[in-house]
Amino acid sequence: DLRKNTPMDRLLVGDVGFGKTEIGMRAGFAVVNSGMQVALLAPTTVLANQHLRVLTQRFANYPFKIALLSRLQSTKERANILEQLSKGQIDILVGTHAILSSSVKFKNLGLLIVDEEQKFGVKQKEKLKSSRVDTHVLSMTATPIPRTLNLSLMGVRDISVLAIPPLGR
């Protein structure tokens, strides 16, 4: 999908523990290696912190700068993150609804990963897509909502289903 001429808009469906996050990390790795930025949107601060921890550990041997943006950052920390992000100094931004703010400006966003996409409203998802027309979008969920499934079945979005768990699960 990342090699195609048109931006990816893929829904990845799979039960908990089936590897959705792994696929998202691998896609993010490819995008950052190509010189672009990645945003990972999570519905809660707990999940955003978990993603930050996993990404930081996973990419510890790479020169990637990973940051977190949520309601828990101070005004000063937030301003620093937004400045670095707009200059392209942050490769991967993990965050909550705070990423949806109009003050968040990426220098070169290449991939938006939406975790648990059913937890975000239609207006929020459409705002993201309309403001980043040339950005790849990977939405991940264990429980797709009917509207999302309908879009996928109509061919508006691509869909992939992880039906088999990884070894040992």
Side-chain angles (χ1 to χ4, degrees):
D1 284 345
L2 297 174
R3 291 185 191 155
K4 293 180 182 175
N5 291 331
T6 56
M8 167 180 68
D9 189 3
R10 180 163 299 278
L11 173 66
L12 182 59
V13 180
D15 282 341
V16 174
F18 272 41
K20 296 182 299 289
T21 302
E22 178 66 25
I23 290 172
M25 282 193 304
R26 289 177 184 215
F29 183 87
V31 168
V32 171
N33 263 341
S34 71
M36 300 183 88
Q37 293 170 299
V38 173
L40 196 160
L41 180 62
T44 65
T45 53
V46 171
L47 189 55
N49 279 305
Q50 179 182 330
H51 281 306
L52 177 70
R53 188 173 54 257
V54 169
L55 286 165
T56 302
Q57 290 170 354
R58 185 67 174 277
F59 298 144
N61 295 327
Y62 298 93
F64 300 162
K65 173 125 187 206
I66 305 169
L68 175 70
L69 188 64
S70 72
R71 62 184 171 80
L72 300 179
Q73 275 77 40
S74 70
T75 305
K76 184 178 179 181
E77 288 172 318
R78 182 181 176 89
N80 187 33
I81 289 168
L82 294 178
E83 181 182 345
Q84 290 179 41
L85 189 67
S86 68
K87 291 179 178 178
Q89 297 169 345
I90 293 176
D91 299 303
I92 301 173
L93 180 67
V94 179
T96 59
H97 291 77
I99 290 180
L100 301 173
S101 169
S102 58
S103 63
V104 176
K105 306 275 190 242
F106 290 85
K107 181 177 182 185
N108 195 15
L109 183 63
L111 174 64
L112 169 65
I113 302 169
V114 183
D115 194 8
E116 297 301 335
E117 68 89 33
Q118 79 281 3
K119 303 237 176 152
F120 295 95
V122 173
K123 288 181 182 177
Q124 292 168 322
K125 288 185 276 191
E126 293 307 317
K127 177 187 173 195
L128 279 170
K129 289 177 188 175
S130 66
S131 65
R132 293 157 170 80
V133 258
D134 59 344
T135 299
H136 296 286
V137 178
L138 175 63
S139 301
M140 306 183 304
T141 188
T143 54
I145 58 175
R147 178 182 185 277
T148 300
L149 273 179
N150 188 42
L151 288 171
S152 296
L153 295 173
M154 287 177 17
V156 175
R157 300 179 79 178
D158 294 317
I159 186 169
S160 295
V161 178
L162 295 172
I164 302 170
L167 292 174
R169 298 271 173 152

